[in-house]
Amino acid sequence: MPTVSEALELMDYGPAPESTAAAMDWLKGRTFGHFINGKLTKAGETFATVSPATGTELAQITQGTEADVAAAVKAARKAAPGWAALSGHDRARHLYALARLMQKRERLFAVLESLDNGKPIRESRDIDVPLAVRHFYHHAGWAELVADDFPGMRPHGVCGQIIPWNFPLLMLAWKVAPALAAGNTVVVKPAEQTPLTALLFAELCIEAGLPRGVVNIVTGDGRTGAALVAAEVDKIAFTGSTEIGRLIRRATAGSAKALTLELGGKSPFIVFAEADLDAAVEGVVDAIWFNQGEVCCAGSRILVQESVADRFVTRLKARMNTLRLGDPLDKSTDIGAVVDEVQLTRIRGIVDQAVAQGAVLHQAPIPNGPGSFCPPGLLTDLGAANIAMTEEIFGPIVSLITFRTPGEAVELANNTRYGLAASIWTENITAALDIAAQVKAGVVWINGTNIFDANAPFGGMRESGFGREGAREGMLAYLTRDEATGPLRKPAAAPSPAPAGASGDAIDRTRKLYIGGAQKRPDGGASYAVKGAQVPLGSRKDIRNAVEAAHKAGGWSKVTGHNRAQVLYFLAENLAAHPIGDAEEHALAVQRAFYWAAWADKYDGRVHATQSAHVTLALKEPFGVMGIVAPEEAPLLGLVSTVFPAIAMGNRVVVVPSQANPVPALDLYQVLDTSDVPGGVVNIVTGPRGELADTLAKHDDVAALWCFADPETCRNAEIQSAGNLKPVWTETRERDWHGPAGQSREFLRRAVQVKTVWVPYGA
Ligand code: ADP
């Protein structure tokens, strides 16, 4: 114990350890099994879960086998009809009971989380656990309202949910609460490093009297996760690395399993000269250093305006040196332990490489003693290609580069494959919102960072995944509609190219592709015969040209909804004046064109009720360039019903029409030519659908794909999309384009991605 005068001299905090007695008493060196069908099972083959701060073993955990996963899925399957048939109110009561019990055990959950993950108790106690509780309360509400607010929708059935180690309990809550509220049953696979709070949650399910099999928890490593992905589930919700996300995208292709992926990020933290620099420094502390850099959306790339860079770096370094690294259970610890040695080695590996590539590392000394600790660090003098600027570090190390103009800031911010989050610092609200509109990120915080709420959508763009968690958007991820109820679509027969002699003259008389607002002969000039007409045999090259043309038409995504509506009304009018194809189908297509034109300025975003002194906007943004493989059936109506909502929302499209009956689509060029649709907004490429769909799926500049095609084409499109992880909407059954299903809201929902923008206020 220091004397009073020594303490005054040091001005340091004394130790303030949180008691681990209750947690240790609960653990008692236990060997855990799984939680299946309402019961804790006997342990199987086990592995240790250890405290990363001390290296000591906390408990033995069962490595889930395929048979364990199958038993859990079977229990969930059996429980599903009963759970879905409960009234929303009854389900709400169960969720409410879980929330209450979790709240009662807040302290135990927080201590266990800090023991198992190594994060400071301050974080688990003040952030993770209260937010998890909030999720159950919020979703108890959704259970009550689901029938009212989501008419015509039903739960998927059984959901497999795979969780990472950075927010073990919070991620469980994010996934389990909405799934149950919507009427699904679940099988959860916690991360092998951090299974303890999930196992405590299992006990809560028993205590809350949740019907057996509604929640099942199977522990184990990636093999258990892979078994769950392969099992007979109806949906997979995954949070983890982009690499595993790709594997899961491929593994679920063609299975009709719904999929949401919340993956990695390399989020920009943009500091303008007008920023409150001290607040921005605290933002870095909050975003990256306090939580060991383990928040996947943390702003791990600092972009600071050159004129204030020196001042900012000086303050950042000074603050960095005041951070307290150490025992996660100490209430005055800022930075705890890194989850395990593997992760620590990874962090060090990237930092070493960054330094080898010329970066300068500023870091507090590495402590001696046991446990996997990584002191906070700052990398400067980085080139844009330095590994620290491109790879996710997932540790308390930030990379810093400078920019001069707002335009350059946006360019640097978007110079990444990811698009999870962004944080923008400036006291100039006009500039902040301008940058928010331009960054490609699912969540944008202005003068803040890492703010979450159950009623704010969260999720990424680009290679950060797709689907949203939280709020109404998050509920939609756990509900589905049965709209395509027709027979399975059949593959289109291979088109037979025109005989060799039919080239030249004959080709000039064939119809043409429509690319960039002009008629184009296909690359290579080939055509195929269909119903007495010669139509172009488009190829991969034509798709690439079309995507390029669509890319150039970016202005369409920026004009107002009103302007787009006007253009689309005029287009609809012109369509009415051009009888194309079957008369009845044409008449309906005209009506549908007006219908989607009407939506162009009405599919609004939302303002969510979240935390005090924040406006939380959920904006509906177009994807940019979309690929559409239009249905074979209803060649004109199917095309209009899919292309129009996509462009009404501000997308530019490359559409592959019906292969057997492409003439009405190709004849649309006359309508497009005589209207005001800018060139490149609609591009039409006919030809072998399988090959063209494949090219769209692989293309990095196609941000989303709709594929109304046979199962094989759809499966392949899903597999090929794993490269850039675009959302792919596949529909293998025919839709009744003539009925209400032909103008479902689903088309609008699938044509946009939500960007959540947090705007704080306070005079
Ligand atoms: P991290 O780098 O955050 O550990 P991972 O993507 O490796 O991210 O792990 C996230 C979760 O995915 C963990 O629960 C892990 O066990 C699980 N997982 C790992 N490999 C697979 C796989 N092939 N299929 C399904 N789940 C997996």
Side-chain angles (χ1 to χ4, degrees):
M1 246 335 234
T3 62
V4 172
S5 58
E6 279 165 356
L8 282 174
E9 188 69 30
L10 284 170
M11 282 303 276
D12 204 356
Y13 296 89
E18 173 69 50
S19 167
T20 57
M24 286 306 178
D25 190 43
W26 182 77
L27 284 168
K28 282 188 264 148
R30 262 161 90 173
T31 299
F32 287 93
H34 309 299
F35 177 55
I36 297 176
N37 204 27
K39 290 200 195 74
L40 299 166
T41 66
K42 277 212 197 72
E45 193 185 309
T46 61
F47 59 91
T49 185
V50 297
S51 151
T54 59
T56 52
E57 179 177 323
L58 296 169
Q60 284 286 322
I61 304 298
T62 293
Q63 168 65 29
T65 62
E66 268 178 43
D68 295 337
V69 170
V73 171
K74 191 171 161 204
R77 179 70 62 201
K78 194 157 162 240
W83 181 249
L86 281 187
S87 71
H89 177 67
D90 286 340
R91 280 203 303 275
R93 290 173 71 114
H94 283 295
L95 284 162
Y96 184 75
L98 284 170
R100 290 297 290 237
L101 284 175
M102 196 181 263
Q103 202 166 26
K104 251 168 72 182
R105 306 278 155 72
E106 268 189 337
R107 194 49 64 104
L108 179 57
F109 271 111
V111 172
L112 264 185
E113 200 77 308
S114 283
L115 280 172
D116 208 11
N117 167 284
K119 60 171 70 193
I121 185 76
R122 238 180 35 196
E123 188 188 333
S124 49
R125 182 196 62 197
D126 299 347
I127 300 171
D128 297 38
V129 179
L131 265 176
V133 171
R134 156 102 177 112
H135 261 77
F136 277 96
Y137 278 122
H138 180 74
H139 286 94
W142 277 122
E144 197 86 50
L145 303 176
V146 73
D148 277 359
D149 209 36
F150 301 92
M153 299 194 86
R154 65 163 176 88
H156 288 284
V158 177
C159 300
Q161 307 183 309
I162 301 173
I163 291 168
W165 48 259
N166 60 341
F167 285 95
L169 181 70
L170 183 56
M171 290 295 142
L172 177 141
W174 276 28
K175 289 194 164 34
V176 172
L180 298 193
N184 301 277
T185 57
V186 302
V187 179
V188 182
K189 209 291 285 172
E192 56 272 34
Q193 298 89 339
T194 54
L196 293 179
T197 44
L199 292 165
L200 176 60
F201 178 76
E203 291 190 359
L204 252 52
C205 293
I206 299 174
E207 205 178 325
L210 199 67
R212 286 194 298 169
V214 169
V215 170
N216 304 273
I217 296 171
V218 182
T219 53
D221 62 15
R223 290 167 292 172
T224 315
L228 181 54
V229 170
E232 297 277 314
V233 294
D234 305 300
K235 175 182 165 101
I236 291 287
F238 171 79
T239 300
S241 60
T242 295
E243 177 200 343
I244 304 293
R246 283 205 175 90
L247 285 181
I248 294 178
R249 169 69 287 186
R250 291 195 191 101
T252 53
S255 66
K257 288 173 192 166
L259 180 63
T260 43
L261 299 175
E262 205 261 272
L263 308 175
K266 190 74 200 171
S267 301
F269 186 102
I270 312 171
V271 183
F272 285 94
E274 297 77 22
D276 173 343
L277 291 187
D278 291 317
V281 165
E282 283 315 302
V284 175
V285 171
D286 258 351
I288 306 166
W289 287 335
F290 269 1
N291 44 53
Q292 301 78 243
E294 287 169 4
V295 188
C296 40
C297 51
S300 57
R301 286 184 300 148
I302 303 177
L303 316 177
V304 56
Q305 199 154 16
E306 209 171 74
S307 55
V308 292
D310 287 346
R311 267 195 291 152
F312 186 68
V313 169
T314 307
R315 291 186 204 190
L316 206 52
K317 282 196 219 158
R319 183 68 176 97
M320 185 175 89
N321 292 327
T322 66
L323 295 172
R324 297 166 57 95
L325 181 84
D327 179 7
L329 274 309
D330 188 323
K331 287 167 209 146
S332 54
T333 289
D334 296 320
I335 304 178
V338 172
V339 72
D340 62 10
E341 287 292 332
V342 178
Q343 187 55 23
L344 190 61
T345 309
R346 233 196 117 243
I347 298 170
R348 289 197 181 133
I350 299 184
V351 172
D352 289 348
Q353 266 177 281
V355 171
Q357 291 172 4
V360 176
L361 173 68
H362 316 264
Q363 193 176 28
I366 296 174
N368 294 320
S372 62
F373 289 93
C374 178
L378 170 69
L379 287 162
T380 58
D381 301 75
L382 293 152
N386 189 292
I387 184 163
M389 294 302 293
T390 55
E391 289 295 310
E392 198 176 17
I393 301 181
F394 235 70
I397 313 284
V398 287
S399 320
L400 182 142
I401 55 167
T402 59
F403 67 88
R404 289 190 178 157
T405 62
E408 202 189 334
V410 170
E411 203 174 302
L412 286 169
N414 289 340
N415 185 20
T416 165
R417 295 168 289 140
Y418 298 113
L420 194 49
S423 174
I424 300 168
W425 295 79
T426 169
E427 295 299 299
N428 178 344
I429 185 74
T430 316
L433 289 172
D434 182 32
I435 305 298
Q438 294 182 64
V439 292
K440 299 221 164 81
V443 183
V444 180
W445 293 289
I446 291 171
N447 294 330
T449 180
N450 289 3
I451 311 164
F452 306 100
D453 191 81
N455 197 29
F458 182 88
M461 296 181 177
R462 304 205 213 167
E463 290 181 30
S464 293
F466 46 79
R468 294 290 178 266
E469 295 183 301
R472 200 170 181 283
E473 243 1 84
M475 282 299 291
L476 282 167
Y478 284 99
L479 291 161
T480 183
R481 293 174 203 277
D482 296 308
E483 287 186 333
T485 50
L488 269 185
R489 296 199 162 97
K490 293 189 190 59
S496 46
S503 60
D505 195 35
I507 282 185
D508 282 339
R509 281 186 276 110
T510 62
R511 288 176 167 79
K512 306 232 168 37
L513 304 177
Y514 191 68
I515 296 178
Q519 285 198 285
K520 290 268 161 64
R521 282 173 60 164
D523 183 65
S527 65
Y528 69 102
V530 53
K531 294 193 181 143
Q534 284 290 316
V535 294
L537 193 66
S539 64
R540 294 181 187 276
K541 181 85 196 307
D542 297 305
I543 290 283
R544 287 196 284 268
N545 291 341
V547 171
E548 204 181 315
H551 182 80
K552 285 192 189 138
W556 180 251
S557 301
K558 298 193 186 98
V559 302
T560 63
H562 171 68
N563 281 352
R564 279 199 297 270
Q566 279 188 307
V567 172
L568 293 186
Y569 277 128
F570 187 40
L571 181 62
E573 233 181 279
N574 284 344
L575 180 62
H578 282 83
I580 290 173
D582 173 81
E584 188 223 353
E585 204 183 315
H586 177 256
L588 205 49
V590 170
Q591 196 181 314
R592 193 110 337 132
F594 277 105
Y595 177 81
W596 292 123
W599 270 112
D601 62 349
K602 295 176 191 64
Y603 191 54
D604 295 328
R606 280 168 187 261
V607 182
H608 287 289
T610 56
Q611 305 197 1
S612 55
H614 278 90
V615 176
T616 310
L617 305 169
L619 308 173
K620 289 177 171 150
E621 291 193 347
F623 283 99
V625 178
M626 283 180 62
I628 298 180
V629 179
E632 274 294 331
E633 75 267 11
L636 179 68
L637 184 60
L639 186 109
V640 169
S641 304
T642 51
V643 169
F644 272 62
I647 62 175
M649 293 299 104
N651 297 288
R652 296 91 74 188
V653 304
V654 175
V655 58
V656 178
S658 160
Q659 185 183 309
N661 195 357
V663 172
L666 292 170
D667 284 352
L668 259 188
Y669 87 88
Q670 310 164 22
V671 181
L672 289 159
D673 263 359
T674 50
S675 65
D676 297 332
V677 180
V681 171
V682 178
N683 305 278
I684 303 170
V685 180
T686 50
R689 284 160 63 87
E691 183 185 323
L692 303 183
D694 181 272
T695 314
L696 285 170
K698 276 188 197 146
H699 204 301
D700 277 345
D701 205 12
V702 174
L705 177 64
W706 294 353
C707 195
F708 300 90
D710 62 280
E712 191 47 38
T713 302
C714 288
R715 187 177 93 92
N716 189 52
E718 288 178 342
I719 292 174
Q720 300 302 345
S721 72
N724 74 350
L725 287 162
K726 67 189 63 154
V728 181
W729 180 20
T730 55
E731 200 166 273
T732 55
R733 289 194 176 276
E734 291 186 7
R735 191 176 265 260
D736 175 15
W737 297 100
H738 298 259
Q743 57 180 46
S744 162
R745 289 281 174 96
E746 196 68 14
F747 292 100
L748 295 174
R749 190 165 86 75
R750 303 265 194 174
V752 296
Q753 51 190 344
V754 169
K755 178 188 271 180
T756 305
V757 182
W758 290 80
V759 190
Y761 58 87

